[in-house]
Amino acid sequence: MSDTPGGSGPAGQGPDDDNPFKGTPFEQIFSQMGGFGAGGGMPDLNALMAQMQSLFAPHEGPVNWQTVTDLARRTAAQEPDPTVTAAQSGAVADAVRLADHWLDTTTEFPSGVTTTAAWSRAEWIVETIDVWKVLVEPIAGSATSALGQAMPEEMKQLAGPLMAMLGKASGAMVASQVGSGLGALAGDVLSASDIGLPLGPIGKAALLPTNVAAFAAELPDVTTDDVLLYLALREAAHQRLFAGVPWLRDHLIGAVAEYGAGMDFDTSGMEEKLRGMDMANPEAMQEALAGGLFDPEPSAAQKAALEKLEVTLALVEGWVDEVVSQATAERMPAAAKLQETVRRRRAAGGPAEQTFATLVGLELRPRRLRDASTLWGSLRTRQGAEARDGVWMSPHLLPTAEDLDDPLGFREDSVSPGELSDEEFDAGLRDLLDGGGDDPRSE
């Protein structure tokens, strides 16, 4: 009896029959990692064992981040990712230096750039992985805890060592998803601060020349030099804001982490599913795990926290948009077109936003960027750049979602700091920050 051309099994046997992991959680893991061939046949056993060892190697926390990094780099390498040249590094450094010089005229915040970098996609993954750990681990831990809590007591006793293996398999699936997501995201981001969060090391202004070139190629009426300088302005503005507002970095990253850690999962039907599941039947286990076992269900408190977080992100992006617009107004004719392109790119919820939502369970709402930019510009026009930037002194002073609904009316009747004495201003700020949960704008 002859073998089938695409596999090692007997004639009449389908390609999936060569897959010993069909119907188990491992099928999803290895298929995402490219472990099975296009025809579904057996993978290379040496590669398979190496993947197994990587996935189940001892590690701290719910996710093996070495595996995540390896998977992300392998995913990014599916597209050309050339090594950054000395000329590209020099061009980025020159652009950031000029950008910082232009921004000196738009804000009292000093430069936040201590070093510049031109990253390949692989380097972006390595340089940002520490922040992704903080963002992703809380929700991964919440999901794993939900599985353990929902399993009936009698099943826990019967499962014994299998529970630990299920935990490892769950962590491996999270690692494969995060790794694939970061690898895809690396092909889309333009700079270290492209999604509004400070993902890179403090003070390092970084751009990705390969991605910048691809972005510039979509804009035939704008020179590559203008594109690079405009993106350097945005990156330098982000760095300036995060350096000038010391609480902002931890505030944003901590808020995302707390949101994930407090995520509730709808486990109403989970216990019934698990109680009737044959623990000796891997296919039944896989069906339960893949069938919507976890459905994130934000609580009322989380929904409120989410809105505040999204507003803060919009305010960051809006401030960057406003100061870059101010810096380029008399210097770069192409800036208006680039501003609109970047706004639409963010508002369309492109790959960056979609991947971010998948990785941390948080969907950004960049459509509020326009409102935030209008609010900051209006405040500067009425009261000056000092008043605009002074709002960042404390999170208690930041505009709310309601303020973004009426951006031109924010602090329309307020007194400019320049009209107050230093003693009056300091006393008012102390009273405001000592006021606990009261809304300072209600007085």
Side-chain angles (χ1 to χ4, degrees):
M1 184 176 292
S2 62
D3 289 349
T4 57
S8 58
Q13 183 171 307
D16 284 345
D17 294 330
D18 284 339
N19 178 359
F21 301 103
K22 179 175 172 56
T24 74
F26 302 105
E27 180 181 32
Q28 178 184 354
I29 297 170
F30 293 126
S31 64
Q32 288 184 356
M33 296 177 68
F36 297 102
M42 281 289 290
D44 178 89
L45 291 180
N46 290 329
L48 182 59
M49 291 306 298
Q51 291 167 344
M52 289 272 294
Q53 290 173 354
S54 172
L55 285 167
F56 291 95
H59 59 87
E60 296 182 1
V63 179
N64 186 334
W65 285 98
Q66 184 58 56
T67 298
V68 169
T69 303
D70 292 343
L71 285 174
R73 296 186 67 169
R74 189 153 51 240
T75 301
Q78 292 175 6
E79 298 291 335
D81 185 26
T83 301
V84 174
T85 66
Q88 288 173 322
S89 294
V92 168
D94 289 344
V96 172
R97 190 179 302 112
L98 179 57
D100 247 346
H101 176 66
W102 287 10
L103 290 172
D104 283 337
T105 65
T106 67
T107 176
E108 292 297 318
F109 290 142
S111 172
V113 177
T114 57
T115 184
T116 62
W119 288 340
S120 65
R121 292 164 179 169
E123 286 171 328
W124 176 86
I125 292 167
V126 173
E127 292 278 357
T128 63
I129 200 71
D130 285 342
V131 175
W132 285 111
K133 292 177 184 179
V134 179
L135 298 176
V136 171
E137 283 202 344
I139 197 166
S142 296
T144 302
S145 297
L147 175 61
Q149 292 170 2
M151 185 166 283
E153 284 299 325
E154 62 272 21
M155 185 172 288
K156 291 180 185 178
Q157 296 173 3
L158 289 173
L162 184 58
M163 282 297 297
M165 187 174 179
L166 279 176
K168 289 280 190 181
S170 174
M173 283 188 280
V174 170
S176 66
Q177 179 182 355
V178 174
S180 298
L182 288 183
L185 186 55
D188 182 60
V189 292
L190 302 172
S191 68
S193 306
D194 198 25
I195 65 171
L197 291 173
L199 296 177
I202 296 174
K204 181 177 284 188
L207 282 83
L208 286 73
T210 297
N211 292 356
V212 170
F215 178 68
E218 299 173 359
L219 303 169
D221 298 331
V222 182
T223 68
T224 302
D225 287 343
D226 274 353
V227 172
L228 179 62
L229 178 56
Y230 188 83
L231 295 175
L233 281 159
R234 289 184 50 81
E235 174 68 6
H238 275 105
Q239 295 290 344
R240 193 170 286 236
L241 181 61
F242 284 112
V245 185
W247 56 264
L248 183 56
R249 183 184 180 93
D250 290 342
H251 177 79
L252 279 174
I253 294 176
V256 176
E258 289 173 11
Y259 176 83
M263 178 65 75
D264 294 326
F265 289 85
D266 181 9
T267 59
S268 55
M270 188 185 297
E271 183 171 342
E272 183 177 347
K273 283 184 181 180
L274 292 173
R275 193 181 299 278
M277 188 173 67
D278 182 2
M279 298 295 286
N281 184 344
E283 189 167 351
M285 290 168 56
Q286 169 69 1
E287 182 179 350
L289 288 169
L293 199 60
F294 298 123
D295 290 316
E297 190 66 31
S299 63
Q302 275 192 299
K303 289 177 181 177
L306 176 59
E307 180 178 288
K308 290 182 180 179
L309 175 61
E310 289 170 337
V311 167
T312 305
L313 286 167
L315 291 172
V316 169
E317 291 295 283
W319 186 91
V320 168
D321 190 73
E322 138 75 4
V323 298
V324 169
S325 176
Q326 191 183 355
T328 56
E330 304 296 331
R331 297 183 175 102
M332 185 186 290
K337 180 172 184 177
L338 286 166
Q339 179 188 47
E340 186 60 25
T341 300
V342 169
R343 283 179 171 182
R344 289 182 178 180
R345 181 176 181 267
R346 296 301 308 278
E353 285 77 24
Q354 293 167 9
T355 303
F356 183 82
T358 300
L359 293 179
V360 300
L362 177 68
E363 185 173 353
L364 305 180
R365 294 179 182 176
R367 65 176 182 272
R368 307 239 63 178
L369 184 157
R370 292 177 185 269
D371 296 330
S373 181
T374 299
L375 182 148
W376 292 126
S378 173
L379 185 58
R380 172 181 55 81
T381 300
R382 287 184 280 112
Q383 298 186 24
E386 183 181 359
R388 177 200 64 196
D389 297 345
V391 176
W392 291 102
M393 283 191 297
S394 165
H396 299 292
L397 299 175
L398 291 183
T400 64
E402 290 73 21
D403 291 322
L404 291 181
D405 292 336
D406 181 23
L408 296 179
F410 178 66
R411 298 196 171 179
E412 189 174 19
D413 300 324
S414 64
V415 178
S416 170
E419 300 176 30
L420 298 173
S421 69
D422 291 342
E423 292 78 10
E424 290 172 327
F425 182 77
D426 291 341
L429 183 59
R430 281 196 304 271
D431 291 342
L432 177 65
L433 299 182
D434 292 342
D438 295 336
D439 186 344
R441 285 155 295 181
S442 64
E443 299 179 359

PDB file of all heavy atoms in Angstrom, residues 144-159:
ATOM      1  N   THR A 144      -5.609  33.333  33.776  1.00  0.00           N
ATOM      2  CA  THR A 144      -5.206  32.058  34.361  1.00  0.00           C
ATOM      3  C   THR A 144      -5.913  31.827  35.687  1.00  0.00           C
ATOM      4  O   THR A 144      -6.376  30.721  35.980  1.00  0.00           O
ATOM      5  CB  THR A 144      -3.684  32.027  34.564  1.00  0.00           C
ATOM      6  OG1 THR A 144      -3.047  32.235  33.294  1.00  0.00           O
ATOM      7  CG2 THR A 144      -3.245  30.691  35.127  1.00  0.00           C
ATOM      8  N   SER A 145      -6.031  32.859  36.495  1.00  0.00           N
ATOM      9  CA  SER A 145      -6.716  32.737  37.785  1.00  0.00           C
ATOM     10  C   SER A 145      -8.183  32.402  37.584  1.00  0.00           C
ATOM     11  O   SER A 145      -8.765  31.604  38.336  1.00  0.00           O
ATOM     12  CB  SER A 145      -6.589  34.035  38.576  1.00  0.00           C
ATOM     13  OG  SER A 145      -5.244  34.315  38.874  1.00  0.00           O
ATOM     14  N   ALA A 146      -8.797  33.008  36.559  1.00  0.00           N
ATOM     15  CA  ALA A 146     -10.209  32.745  36.302  1.00  0.00           C
ATOM     16  C   ALA A 146     -10.443  31.283  35.967  1.00  0.00           C
ATOM     17  O   ALA A 146     -11.428  30.676  36.407  1.00  0.00           O
ATOM     18  CB  ALA A 146     -10.702  33.638  35.161  1.00  0.00           C
ATOM     19  N   LEU A 147      -9.529  30.689  35.202  1.00  0.00           N
ATOM     20  CA  LEU A 147      -9.663  29.274  34.864  1.00  0.00           C
ATOM     21  C   LEU A 147      -9.598  28.404  36.109  1.00  0.00           C
ATOM     22  O   LEU A 147     -10.416  27.495  36.301  1.00  0.00           O
ATOM     23  CB  LEU A 147      -8.572  28.866  33.883  1.00  0.00           C
ATOM     24  CG  LEU A 147      -8.507  27.373  33.514  1.00  0.00           C
ATOM     25  CD1 LEU A 147      -9.792  26.943  32.848  1.00  0.00           C
ATOM     26  CD2 LEU A 147      -7.315  27.087  32.619  1.00  0.00           C
ATOM     27  N   GLY A 148      -8.639  28.690  36.974  1.00  0.00           N
ATOM     28  CA  GLY A 148      -8.507  27.892  38.184  1.00  0.00           C
ATOM     29  C   GLY A 148      -9.688  28.042  39.120  1.00  0.00           C
ATOM     30  O   GLY A 148     -10.166  27.072  39.710  1.00  0.00           O
ATOM     31  N   GLN A 149     -10.209  29.260  39.243  1.00  0.00           N
ATOM     32  CA  GLN A 149     -11.321  29.495  40.159  1.00  0.00           C
ATOM     33  C   GLN A 149     -12.617  28.875  39.654  1.00  0.00           C
ATOM     34  O   GLN A 149     -13.474  28.481  40.454  1.00  0.00           O
ATOM     35  CB  GLN A 149     -11.502  30.999  40.359  1.00  0.00           C
ATOM     36  CG  GLN A 149     -10.349  31.656  41.108  1.00  0.00           C
ATOM     37  CD  GLN A 149     -10.434  33.167  41.083  1.00  0.00           C
ATOM     38  OE1 GLN A 149     -11.376  33.747  40.531  1.00  0.00           O
ATOM     39  NE2 GLN A 149      -9.435  33.816  41.662  1.00  0.00           N
ATOM     40  N   ALA A 150     -12.778  28.789  38.340  1.00  0.00           N
ATOM     41  CA  ALA A 150     -14.022  28.269  37.782  1.00  0.00           C
ATOM     42  C   ALA A 150     -14.081  26.755  37.778  1.00  0.00           C
ATOM     43  O   ALA A 150     -15.156  26.175  37.672  1.00  0.00           O
ATOM     44  CB  ALA A 150     -14.207  28.789  36.361  1.00  0.00           C
ATOM     45  N   MET A 151     -12.954  26.082  37.902  1.00  0.00           N
ATOM     46  CA  MET A 151     -12.956  24.626  37.847  1.00  0.00           C
ATOM     47  C   MET A 151     -13.573  24.050  39.122  1.00  0.00           C
ATOM     48  O   MET A 151     -13.199  24.440  40.232  1.00  0.00           O
ATOM     49  CB  MET A 151     -11.531  24.107  37.674  1.00  0.00           C
ATOM     50  CG  MET A 151     -11.454  22.601  37.499  1.00  0.00           C
ATOM     51  SD  MET A 151      -9.827  22.051  36.888  1.00  0.00           S
ATOM     52  CE  MET A 151      -9.956  22.495  35.164  1.00  0.00           C
ATOM     53  N   PRO A 152     -14.540  23.149  39.015  1.00  0.00           N
ATOM     54  CA  PRO A 152     -15.169  22.554  40.187  1.00  0.00           C
ATOM     55  C   PRO A 152     -14.136  21.878  41.094  1.00  0.00           C
ATOM     56  O   PRO A 152     -13.128  21.353  40.620  1.00  0.00           O
ATOM     57  CB  PRO A 152     -16.135  21.521  39.583  1.00  0.00           C
ATOM     58  CG  PRO A 152     -16.367  21.988  38.181  1.00  0.00           C
ATOM     59  CD  PRO A 152     -15.103  22.647  37.749  1.00  0.00           C
ATOM     60  N   GLU A 153     -14.406  21.896  42.401  1.00  0.00           N
ATOM     61  CA  GLU A 153     -13.454  21.354  43.373  1.00  0.00           C
ATOM     62  C   GLU A 153     -13.137  19.893  43.106  1.00  0.00           C
ATOM     63  O   GLU A 153     -11.987  19.466  43.196  1.00  0.00           O
ATOM     64  CB  GLU A 153     -13.999  21.525  44.799  1.00  0.00           C
ATOM     65  CG  GLU A 153     -13.903  22.935  45.339  1.00  0.00           C
ATOM     66  CD  GLU A 153     -12.474  23.426  45.413  1.00  0.00           C
ATOM     67  OE1 GLU A 153     -11.569  22.607  45.695  1.00  0.00           O
ATOM     68  OE2 GLU A 153     -12.241  24.624  45.168  1.00  0.00           O
ATOM     69  N   GLU A 154     -14.187  19.102  42.796  1.00  0.00           N
ATOM     70  CA  GLU A 154     -13.933  17.685  42.577  1.00  0.00           C
ATOM     71  C   GLU A 154     -13.037  17.452  41.362  1.00  0.00           C
ATOM     72  O   GLU A 154     -12.243  16.520  41.315  1.00  0.00           O
ATOM     73  CB  GLU A 154     -15.253  16.920  42.414  1.00  0.00           C
ATOM     74  CG  GLU A 154     -16.115  17.327  41.215  1.00  0.00           C
ATOM     75  CD  GLU A 154     -17.084  18.472  41.524  1.00  0.00           C
ATOM     76  OE1 GLU A 154     -16.823  19.200  42.504  1.00  0.00           O
ATOM     77  OE2 GLU A 154     -18.084  18.613  40.802  1.00  0.00           O
ATOM     78  N   MET A 155     -13.158  18.353  40.363  1.00  0.00           N
ATOM     79  CA  MET A 155     -12.318  18.225  39.181  1.00  0.00           C
ATOM     80  C   MET A 155     -10.876  18.608  39.511  1.00  0.00           C
ATOM     81  O   MET A 155      -9.937  18.018  38.992  1.00  0.00           O
ATOM     82  CB  MET A 155     -12.863  19.085  38.044  1.00  0.00           C
ATOM     83  CG  MET A 155     -12.110  18.927  36.725  1.00  0.00           C
ATOM     84  SD  MET A 155     -12.924  19.764  35.348  1.00  0.00           S
ATOM     85  CE  MET A 155     -14.343  18.700  35.115  1.00  0.00           C
ATOM     86  N   LYS A 156     -10.708  19.617  40.374  1.00  0.00           N
ATOM     87  CA  LYS A 156      -9.359  20.002  40.768  1.00  0.00           C
ATOM     88  C   LYS A 156      -8.649  18.832  41.435  1.00  0.00           C
ATOM     89  O   LYS A 156      -7.476  18.572  41.202  1.00  0.00           O
ATOM     90  CB  LYS A 156      -9.406  21.195  41.726  1.00  0.00           C
ATOM     91  CG  LYS A 156      -9.850  22.492  41.094  1.00  0.00           C
ATOM     92  CD  LYS A 156      -9.858  23.600  42.142  1.00  0.00           C
ATOM     93  CE  LYS A 156     -10.412  24.901  41.567  1.00  0.00           C
ATOM     94  NZ  LYS A 156     -10.471  25.967  42.593  1.00  0.00           N
ATOM     95  N   GLN A 157      -9.374  18.110  42.296  1.00  0.00           N
ATOM     96  CA  GLN A 157      -8.779  16.974  43.007  1.00  0.00           C
ATOM     97  C   GLN A 157      -8.440  15.843  42.046  1.00  0.00           C
ATOM     98  O   GLN A 157      -7.402  15.189  42.178  1.00  0.00           O
ATOM     99  CB  GLN A 157      -9.738  16.488  44.094  1.00  0.00           C
ATOM    100  CG  GLN A 157      -9.989  17.522  45.176  1.00  0.00           C
ATOM    101  CD  GLN A 157     -11.066  17.085  46.155  1.00  0.00           C
ATOM    102  OE1 GLN A 157     -11.590  15.977  46.061  1.00  0.00           O
ATOM    103  NE2 GLN A 157     -11.400  17.963  47.086  1.00  0.00           N
ATOM    104  N   LEU A 158      -9.327  15.623  41.063  1.00  0.00           N
ATOM    105  CA  LEU A 158      -9.079  14.555  40.107  1.00  0.00           C
ATOM    106  C   LEU A 158      -7.963  14.941  39.129  1.00  0.00           C
ATOM    107  O   LEU A 158      -7.160  14.099  38.715  1.00  0.00           O
ATOM    108  CB  LEU A 158     -10.356  14.251  39.314  1.00  0.00           C
ATOM    109  CG  LEU A 158     -11.475  13.548  40.090  1.00  0.00           C
ATOM    110  CD1 LEU A 158     -12.731  13.458  39.232  1.00  0.00           C
ATOM    111  CD2 LEU A 158     -11.028  12.154  40.519  1.00  0.00           C
ATOM    112  N   ALA A 159      -7.924  16.226  38.787  1.00  0.00           N
ATOM    113  CA  ALA A 159      -6.958  16.660  37.780  1.00  0.00           C
ATOM    114  C   ALA A 159      -5.531  16.557  38.280  1.00  0.00           C
ATOM    115  O   ALA A 159      -4.634  16.135  37.564  1.00  0.00           O
ATOM    116  CB  ALA A 159      -7.262  18.091  37.348  1.00  0.00           C
TER     117      ALA A 159
END
